[in-house]
Amino acid sequence: MEVIIRPDADAAAELVARIIAKELRANPHLVLGLATGRTMERVYGRLVRLHRKEGLDFSLCRTFNLDEYVGLAPEDPRSFRHYMNEHLFGHVNIDPRNAHLPDGRAADLEVECRGYEAAIARAGGLDLQLLGIGQAGHIGFNEPLSALRSRTRAKALAPLTLEQNAEVFGGADKVPRRAITMGVGTILESRRCLLLAIGAEKAEMIAKAVEGPITSMISATALQLHPRCTVVVDDAAAGRLAGSEYYRRIFATEPEWEEFRGLK
Ligand code: F6R
């Protein structure tokens, strides 16, 4: 795992967008795992800008989102499909047939989840999985006690997650109780993971995810098992990391990061 600390939220999001753009330029057929949430809005805004200003091409790439609420139709403004259309798909040249999310309204959720895993496998597996982290320490909607080998499935949302998403639904009691989510095992099979966290409210979970013991209570800790995981945080989200000076030195000196160091 590598941890990159940027001075503020914009610089952190810019770095994440530039890493994605580099991967996409190197492989136009990239299979990209996507996340939703407030954190990702900054990243998608930048990807849209790169598409418009630098011709970043999404026409051949395939995307698979991490999750979707059970029971919400794609056109529901609170659905993740709607979020993705608003923030990314509607503004870049992605082929809509290549932009996948689980169907939260599937009649048979088990069949839907198996089909989603099969579609990822048919695409050749995920090349790059973009991740946020919830206040309950989840990646995707892998709530506390999610098995480290779990696959795509319907999962009950934890109370803290309901709280975290209450605003969108007008109250925690109105948030759907379940979501379909890629499993921890599904995420760990991606060839590269890229997690972005910003803000002081993520600092404790980031410290646990990066430096704490691996536990199914905090699914983000499973990323320590991943052979190529990059965690990008702003100063505020890095606030509780014991090893931050070491992580800063790696970013300042390792050749891999040279082209990214000057980014604002
Ligand atoms: C959303 C997802 C979640 C979010 C996490 C952070 O698709 O998978 O794990 O990434 O809850 O959400 P924000 O960015 O809103 O704090």
Side-chain angles (χ1 to χ4, degrees):
M1 186 183 270
E2 275 172 310
V3 181
I4 299 178
I5 305 170
R6 304 308 287 141
D8 55 42
D10 284 335
E14 180 69 21
L15 176 62
V16 167
R18 290 283 173 179
I19 292 172
I20 297 168
K22 186 180 179 192
E23 295 264 358
L24 188 53
R25 286 189 176 115
N27 173 16
H29 292 271
L30 197 73
V31 181
L32 185 55
L34 296 172
T36 59
R38 282 174 289 273
T39 312
M40 293 306 147
E41 290 176 20
R42 291 173 195 267
V43 175
Y44 297 144
R46 284 168 170 77
L47 289 177
V48 170
R49 202 187 59 212
L50 288 171
H51 168 68
R52 288 186 181 146
K53 297 218 164 125
E54 296 180 17
L56 185 64
D57 181 16
F58 290 82
S59 63
L60 298 174
C61 97
R62 286 155 294 169
T63 65
F64 289 88
N65 266 77
L66 284 165
D67 39 25
E68 179 60 282
Y69 290 111
V70 168
L72 293 197
E75 53 279 0
D76 188 311
R78 301 160 306 177
S79 72
F80 288 160
R81 167 68 78 176
H82 188 271
Y83 170 104
M84 290 309 302
N85 290 341
E86 286 285 299
H87 292 288
L88 185 66
F89 300 155
H91 309 286
V92 297
N93 63 335
I94 192 163
D95 182 339
R97 289 168 304 182
N98 288 339
H100 306 276
L101 279 93
D103 178 0
R105 286 214 311 182
D108 187 329
L109 293 176
E110 264 182 48
V111 170
E112 173 63 19
C113 293
R114 269 202 306 276
Y116 203 65
E117 288 275 338
I120 294 171
R122 269 197 310 277
L126 298 158
D127 291 311
L128 174 63
Q129 178 62 58
L130 183 58
L131 297 162
I133 184 170
Q135 278 163 30
H138 66 205
I139 46 175
F141 273 139
N142 289 290
E143 303 296 81
L145 291 184
S146 287
L148 301 184
R149 289 185 169 168
S150 52
R151 312 301 307 188
T152 302
R153 68 215 184 286
K155 187 81 189 150
L157 300 183
L160 201 53
T161 303
L162 298 174
E163 285 297 332
Q164 195 195 310
N165 293 289
E167 205 183 305
V168 177
F169 288 88
D173 54 327
K174 300 200 177 65
V175 182
R177 289 299 186 256
R178 304 172 81 208
I180 295 179
T181 180
M182 277 187 207
V184 182
T186 320
I187 294 167
L188 289 182
E189 276 172 23
S190 63
R191 286 182 268 282
R192 183 173 186 185
C193 284
L194 181 58
L195 185 146
L196 172 64
I198 54 184
E201 66 275 17
K202 299 287 172 73
E204 192 186 336
M205 271 308 157
I206 282 294
K208 286 185 176 163
V210 172
E211 296 173 340
I214 296 173
T215 166
S216 65
M217 287 301 288
I218 301 171
S219 60
T221 62
L223 294 171
Q224 294 174 31
L225 298 168
H226 195 283
R228 192 160 183 228
C229 177
T230 305
V231 173
V232 179
V233 289
D234 65 353
D235 267 339
R240 304 282 288 270
L241 287 169
S244 57
E245 283 321 306
Y246 168 56
Y247 313 144
R248 286 182 202 276
R249 199 163 65 236
I250 298 277
F251 183 66
T253 55
E254 281 299 295
E256 183 193 350
W257 298 111
E258 195 169 335
E259 68 190 281
F260 296 103
R261 272 179 220 132
L263 290 175
K264 296 229 173 56

